[in-house]
Each structure stands twice: as structure tokens, then as C-alpha cells.
């Protein structure tokens, strides 16, 4: 299957600072990328959907000014958590969708563990 | 998208087949059944998907009932590395940007010696 990478895999930052997480599709061009968040012992929650070159679409309850998404190319999307607070500590997972032999397929990155102190 | 119901947890002996059920009684005719799994602290991994015919790949088999109201994911020879949360998702055909994959609570499969 196609490979999606994320960087960094884990990050610790101080409250009030901003953190950028990169998501790359390594061997394919993604038509759409998605960002999810997962708190301990909970399921994945979709945060936003982004298409290359256009503004991201955020799910209800997700602050677009706090979680900035940039989708500059077909292989790279970034999520910036601005003015991070301890409650933003979570596991952030990106996902990329591509048109494959069986139609559209969606693959996930390994996740980024964010801890805000 | 149709809702799904899965058992919270299941146990399986290593080497035996793991059969994970999923109920999706409100599925509509153009909705697919997708299975993903998530090993602890990793991103979800695609397993298989199907519309109405049974499907098999190198990872698993997907059996969908004739009325499409339920399905079973079969791991033919479970290993310890198959311990994970398994998600059954019913969704219309994936398009370029629409039809978003949303995850329920899934089934925690524990494979034991």
C-alpha cells in the first residue's frame, strides 16, 4: 500500500508556543488529505479535510484559527497548533486519499504525539 | 453514512481464525464496508473493503451477508501482532474530497498464546 509519513513522531512544547506537524505522501500524489485527533482511550476524531491549493474544511467544533492547515502540494500538508495549551495534548494523525486501481483509497500516517506542558 | 455496531472486545488464540462481526442494518445500496485496524500508538491501517461480494486479500477475508446488514472480517491465522482495535466503517464510495471516514469505537482484538 501507499506510504504516508509524519514528522515529528512526538513533540513536547511549552504552553503558548506553536507546533507544526508535517504530513507527506511518499510514493503517490494525494487528491485530499485529512487530519484526525485521538485522545487516550478514545477513537479518532476528524478535524479537517484539505485539498491542495484550497482552504481546509473544518469539522464542527474545531477552531480553524487554532489549527492552521496548509496544503501546499499534492504530497505535503501541514498542521500548525497555535498557542498550544495542555488540553491540546493528543495524538494527531494525518491521512491521504489517492485514486487507485480499485477506486479511491485512503492511507494513514503513523501519528504525532503532542504533549503541551 | 450507515451506523455500525461492533463488540467492544474479543479474544483469540494465536494460530486460530479471528472472526470479527459488524452489524450495519441501515446500510444503503451504494455504501461500502471498510475495515481498518489500529495497533496501539500507531495510525490506522487499511485492511479490506467490499460492496456486496465476499473479498479476500493477503491480510484478511470479508464476508458480507446477502442482505448486506452485517459482515464478518476473518483473520485466518491470527498472530500476536494482530492485537489491535478493528474498525468497521460503512461509507458511500470514496471520492476525491467527499465521504469522510469516521471511526466508531471498534473492537479490541486480543490475540493470546
Amino acid at each position: 500500500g501507499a506510504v504516508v509519513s509524519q514528522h515529528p513522531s512526538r513533540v513536547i512544547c511549552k504552553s503558548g508556543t506553536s507546533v507544526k506537524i508535517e504530513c507527506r505522501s511518499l510514493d503517490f500524489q494525494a487528491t485530499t488529505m485529512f487530519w484526525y485527533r485521538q485522545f487516550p482511550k478514545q477513537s479518532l476524531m476528524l478535524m479537517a479535510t484539505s485539498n491542495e491549493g484550497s482552504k481546509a474544511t473544518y469539522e464542527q467544533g474545531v477552531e480553524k484559527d487554532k489549527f492552521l492547515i496548509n496544503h501546499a502540494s499534492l504530497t505535503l500538508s501541514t498542521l500548525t497548533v497555535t498557542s498550544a495549551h495542555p488540553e491540546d495534548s493528543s495524538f494527531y494523525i494525518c491521512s491521504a486519499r489517492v485514486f487507485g486501481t480499485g477506486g479511491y483509497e485512503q492511507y494513514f500516517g503513523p501519528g504525532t504525539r503532542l504533549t503541551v506542558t | 453514512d450507515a451506523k455500525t455496531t461492533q463488540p467492544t472486545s474479543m479474544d483469540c488464540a494465536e494460530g486460530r481464525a479471528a472472526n470479527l462481526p459488524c452489524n450495519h442494518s441501515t446500510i444503503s445500496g451504494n455504501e461500502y464496508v471498510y475495515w481498518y485496524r489500529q495497533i496501539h500508538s500507531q495510525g490506522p491501517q487499511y485492511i479490506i473493503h467490499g460492496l456486496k461480494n465476499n473479498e479476500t486479500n493477503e491480510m484478511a477475508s470479508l464476508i458480507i451477508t446477502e442482505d448486506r446488514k452485517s459482515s464478518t472480517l476473518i483473520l485466518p491465522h491470527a498472530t500476536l501482532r494482530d492485537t489491535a482495535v478493528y474498525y468497521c466503517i460503512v461509507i458511500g464510495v470514496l471520492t476525491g474530497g467527499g465521504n469522510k471516514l469516521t471511526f466508531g469505537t471498534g473492537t479490541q482484538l486480543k490475540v493470546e498464546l
Side-chain angles (χ1 to χ4, degrees), chain B residues 14-77:
Chain B
E14 189 178 34
R16 304 298 292 267
N19 299 292
L20 292 93
C22 180
N23 283 320
H24 32 79
S25 58
T26 60
I27 192 171
S28 61
N30 63 348
E31 289 182 317
Y32 287 73
V33 180
Y34 278 78
W35 284 84
Y36 281 81
R37 72 180 182 184
Q38 185 179 27
I39 295 170
H40 184 61
S41 293
Q42 296 183 25
Q45 177 188 21
Y46 167 81
I47 301 173
I48 199 167
H49 75 280
L51 182 61
K52 51 185 177 182
N53 297 323
N54 297 336
E55 302 287 338
T56 296
N57 62 21
E58 64 278 4
M59 287 185 69
S61 295
L62 174 61
I63 308 298
I64 302 175
T65 57
E66 195 168 338
D67 63 7
R68 302 186 70 238
K69 292 185 177 182
S70 66
S71 59
T72 301
L73 178 74
I74 301 172
L75 308 179
H77 305 287

Side-chain angles (χ1 to χ4, degrees), chain A residues 10-57:
Chain A
R10 60 177 62 234
V11 57
I12 300 172
C13 71
K14 292 187 176 181
S15 187
T17 61
S18 295
V19 173
K20 180 185 284 189
I21 301 169
E22 288 188 353
C23 174
R24 293 181 185 271
S25 54
L26 295 186
D27 49 0
F28 66 97
Q29 293 183 327
T31 55
T32 306
M33 286 187 170
F34 305 83
W35 286 95
Y36 291 78
R37 179 169 55 179
Q38 186 175 33
F39 293 108
K41 298 191 185 303
Q42 294 186 22
S43 190
L44 286 80
M45 295 295 296
L46 180 65
M47 298 176 68
T49 302
S50 75
N51 292 293
E52 182 257 344
S54 59
K55 288 186 178 181
T57 302

Side-chain angles (χ1 to χ4, degrees), chain B residues 10-19 75 77-80 83 109-113:
Chain B
M10 293 183 67
D11 293 333
C12 178
E14 189 178 34
R16 304 298 292 267
N19 299 292
L75 308 179
H77 305 287
T79 70
L80 298 178
T83 293
L109 175 68
K110 187 176 180 182
V111 182
E112 300 171 310
L113 291 171

